[in-house]
Amino acid sequence: MRVGAHVSIAGGVDNAVERQLDVGGNCGQIFTHSPQVWRDPDIDDGEAERFRAGTRERLDGPWVIHSSYLVNLCTPKDDLRAKSVDSMQKEVDAAAQLGVEYVNVHLGAHTGAGTERGLANAASALDELDVPDGVTVLVESDAGSGTKLGGDFEHLATVLEASDQDLDVCLDTAHAFAAGYDLSTATGVENAVREFDDVIGLDRLKCVHLNDSKHACGTNKDEHAHIGEGLIGEEGMRAIVNYPDLRDVPLVLETPNEDGKGFAWNIERVRELREN
């Protein structure tokens, strides 16, 4: 079972390996810099080598780099598009430097341009990237609030089909739930997975952000809860982690650190829910 968490790179990206081990993870996710600002990754060769060696020797992998929250691939604004493409290029280059397989990105918001135009903008922006060998961009499912795209599986499928890049998908369970896919029961999980397979294809699913939700299905509200303690709940989480077609997909947690529970508690909870 590959399960881990989003951990900090404070003090050097190589520190993420030890932090992952400390919470009981064997794969995981990082930011290469603060996701709230436009900033380039600043990783020296020594850090990168220590990160690669630590990962190779001590973790199962994979790692995912999560792109900046400021990136908006759907935008109709030329300046924001240019910044977004530049930021993504820096992230895929950092992934190659670190030996990281995946760079994860939200499609963003069309801000009035409309769904069709926004999705076309996202596909063409991704096509501007020079993605190094061994790195794949994952488009992430979204909660779908406002003009944000990616809440509907069809949005993701449209971008995958329209882009010339070899793209895959990261499914966030809290986002999918917020967007209207009811994952709170075994039947709901079955229906959602089958729809994902029909619309996108399970072969394109390379990572699951495993998060419970503090808000109800279909509310478009994105706020994560501890595993089994949100509105997806224990039944839904158990169904997800044991669903046959999902058992080999890496699970990365972005659960909160509150109520005396952090990543270690949540990762252990996932392992308790997993049936051999």
Side-chain angles (χ1 to χ4, degrees):
M1 184 179 188
R2 291 180 292 173
V3 58
H6 184 115
V7 295
S8 170
I9 66 163
V13 68
D14 49 313
N15 291 328
V17 174
E18 195 66 42
R19 291 189 177 110
Q20 194 63 248
L21 292 164
D22 286 346
V23 297
N26 55 19
C27 65
Q29 182 174 269
I30 57 172
F31 292 123
T32 62
H33 56 82
S34 170
Q36 308 286 0
V37 296
W38 295 113
R39 183 176 297 165
D40 293 344
D42 182 18
I43 302 166
D44 67 42
D45 289 341
E47 288 176 51
E49 174 53 34
R50 290 190 295 275
F51 177 90
R52 292 193 304 268
T55 297
R56 183 173 60 250
E57 295 165 7
R58 307 179 72 191
L59 299 174
D60 295 325
W63 282 103
V64 180
I65 289 174
H66 195 302
S67 63
S68 169
Y69 292 145
L70 301 181
V71 168
N72 186 349
L73 302 174
C74 294
T75 182
K77 300 176 181 178
D78 290 342
D79 57 343
L80 180 54
R81 176 190 173 96
K83 285 184 176 180
S84 298
V85 170
D86 180 67
S87 178
M88 283 297 295
Q89 185 63 57
K90 298 296 197 318
E91 299 288 20
V92 295
D93 290 342
Q97 181 188 14
L98 294 170
V100 169
E101 293 179 47
Y102 302 119
V103 174
N104 183 75
V105 64
H106 296 271
L107 294 178
H110 66 71
T111 62
T115 298
E116 184 177 352
R117 184 70 255 163
L119 295 175
N121 288 346
S124 63
L126 288 165
D127 283 348
E128 292 186 31
L129 299 177
D130 181 11
V131 181
D133 290 343
V135 177
T136 300
V137 174
L138 306 181
V139 291
E140 181 180 341
S141 63
D142 199 271
S145 62
T147 67
K148 289 182 179 179
L149 300 178
D152 191 317
F153 292 163
E154 291 282 357
H155 294 171
L156 305 176
T158 297
V159 172
L160 265 61
E161 183 175 353
S163 175
D164 293 329
Q165 297 282 8
D166 185 15
L167 305 171
D168 285 312
V169 172
C170 173
L171 177 68
D172 186 304
T173 56
H175 295 173
F177 187 71
Y181 297 94
D182 189 353
L183 302 174
S184 64
T185 66
T187 299
V189 170
E190 168 76 22
N191 291 339
V193 174
R194 294 276 63 82
E195 182 172 347
F196 185 98
D197 194 27
D198 289 343
V199 174
I200 298 172
L202 282 167
D203 60 315
R204 309 299 290 273
L205 180 62
K206 302 303 182 185
C207 179
V208 169
H209 281 170
L210 189 69
N211 302 300
D212 211 325
S213 175
K214 291 186 178 180
H215 300 283
C217 183
T219 58
N220 303 120
K221 293 182 178 180
D222 176 18
E223 192 174 3
H224 299 174
H226 295 305
I227 299 299
E229 298 197 349
L231 293 176
I232 295 176
E234 183 174 322
E235 180 184 348
M237 283 289 153
R238 186 185 301 276
I240 293 165
V241 302
N242 290 293
Y243 195 87
D245 290 333
L246 303 181
R247 286 178 68 90
D248 293 332
V249 179
L251 307 174
V252 175
L253 279 61
E254 301 167 320
T255 46
N257 183 11
E258 60 189 19
D259 305 322
K261 301 169 184 174
F263 286 138
W265 185 92
N266 282 280
I267 288 173
E268 180 59 28
R269 186 74 179 109
V270 173
R271 292 199 167 106
E272 290 171 355
L273 292 173
R274 184 66 169 256
E275 298 165 0
N276 293 329

